[in-house]
Structures are given as C-alpha cells and as structure tokens.
Amino acid sequence: MEIIVLPTADVAVRAAAIVTEALGNARAGEAKASGTLGLATGSSPLGLYRELARAQGSGQLDLTRVHGFALDEYVGLPDGHPQSYREVLTREVCGPVGLDPANLHVPDGSGNRLDELVAAAAAYEDSIQELGGIDVQILGIGSNGHIGFNEPGSSLSSRTRVKRLSDRTRLDNARFFARPEDVPTHSVTQGLGTILEAQALVLVATGLAKAAAVAAAVEGPLTASCPASVLQWHARAWVVVDEAAATGLRNREYYAEAAAGLDG
Ligand code: F6R
C-alpha cells in the first residue's frame, strides 16, 4: 500500500496519473486492449474525473474503448432519477471522460423483490468476470470507513450483494437528496472480495471529516469494522489524501520518505 499525502489541489492530479498509468499497463500486451475501470461515485473522485476529462480533451488519454464498472447502485430509485448512480456516472463521467455509455455497467437496483436483487447482483459479478475483471478500481471512503456500500461489519470476502445503508451513510448522503428521508435504505454493492480482485486500487480522500476513517483504514487493524482496511491486504493499492484527511496518520513522515523513492 502506498500512502501519498498532498496539498488538496494536487490530490486529483496525482490520483488521475496513477489511474492512467495503471490502466495503460494493465493490458498493454493484449492485441485488443480495452481495459476496465471501476468507478466510485460521491464527491471524492470528482476532481480525479475532471483530470481524466482534461487528459482526454488534450489527447493524452483515450477511454473510448474502456468499460466502466460502478461500485454500487441504490435500490429503489426510479429509472432516470438524477441521483441514481447510473445517471450520476453517465452525467459526470461518461460524457466528460469520453467513456461510451454503452460500456457503462451498473448494478441493477430496480428490483422490487429480494430474489430479483440477488439475481441482479450475481449477474453483475458475471459481467465483471466476462470482461476479465477490473483493472483499476477508483474508491472513495465513507466517514465510517466503508468502501462501495460495504458498511462496517461487511465480510472481508463478500461479493456483490444487497446491503443496507447505515444511518451514518444515509445522513452523509442526504446532501444529494431533497430530504434526508429520500435517501434509499439499501444498495446493491460490489463486495469487499470483489473489490480485492481488481488489479489496482486507488482511494482518494480529502477533508477533516475523513481523517478518522483514513487513519483506521491505513494504520488500524485489518477488520470488518473498518471495511476500507482491506486495502492493507491488496498488493497494489494507493491511498491519495490531502493534509486534512491525513491528520490522524501517525507515520506521515515515513510515507513522505517512501514516496520520494530512491532519491529520498
Ligand atoms: C459510492 C461509494 C462510496 C463513497 C463514499 C464517500 O460509489 O462507493 O463508498 O465513495 O461514501 O463518499 P463521498 O466521496 O461523497 O464523501
């Protein structure tokens, strides 16, 4: 795991550079490399997506053949709801970064019955496998340490499934909805086991509100109580945070030295 602490303005730039390089390397040897990118929603990756869009605009990056896989989707939002993650990703990612909406995969949260949602979750796992797995997974972190909607207590080997949102998460996400009670109670989310199978993980976090979660994820024990701590188990994981989100880290000096490489 590599922990990179930067001024806020540099977080998105560095995270986008890591994503671009990891994506480029992922299938470089394949004749018809297309690549798969795991997409988080929420506020944290927006700057990173803007950077990818800038790179696309200037011809440094071409995502037109890349497939995007959402981390999660709310259950029960009507088709076309502006806060459904399919809509959010179509609006904020596909257009700007040049990802073909036909190549956007999002778990289907439209089922009314549990068996429909369970089937949708299994189909989502299959769709990831069919394209050879996820090359690079972009992640944010919830203030309670969740990634995707894997709330505290999630099995470390969980697969895509229906997950109830915690009160904390619903409160945090109320800013996207007209009223707090409009925030859905459930989601279909990639599991922690699913996320761990991505070739590379890039987590971005900014702001003091994320400091405790970042410290628990990076320097706490590997535990279901802090789902983001599974990054410690992954061989190619980057955690890119700003100074405020790094406030709780004890080993910052070492991370800075390590990030400087052999010249440091
Ligand atoms: C959403 C997701 C969540 C968010 C997390 C942080 O797809 O995966 O884990 O990344 O809730 O959200 P923000 O970035 O809005 O603070």
Side-chain angles (χ1 to χ4, degrees), residues 40-45 71-72 85 140-142 146-148 175-176 210:
T41 42
S43 310
S44 305
L71 264 178
D72 40 24
Y85 285 166
I141 183 171
H146 74 212
I147 50 174
R175 68 192 192 280
F176 297 114
K210 298 294 173 69

Side-chain angles (χ1 to χ4, degrees), residues 39 88-104:
L39 303 165
V88 170
L89 289 170
T90 303
R91 192 173 62 232
E92 288 166 6
V93 181
C94 287
V97 311
L99 198 141
D100 184 348
N103 290 346
L104 175 66

Side-chain angles (χ1 to χ4, degrees), residues 76-89:
L77 291 184
D79 220 21
H81 188 290
Q83 290 308 324
S84 81
Y85 285 166
R86 175 169 287 284
E87 286 298 311
V88 170
L89 289 170

Side-chain angles (χ1 to χ4, degrees), residues 209-236:
K210 298 294 173 69
V214 167
V218 170
E219 295 181 347
L222 172 55
T223 166
S225 299
C226 178
S229 64
V230 292
L231 268 77
Q232 296 176 26
W233 193 250
H234 197 283
R236 292 182 70 223

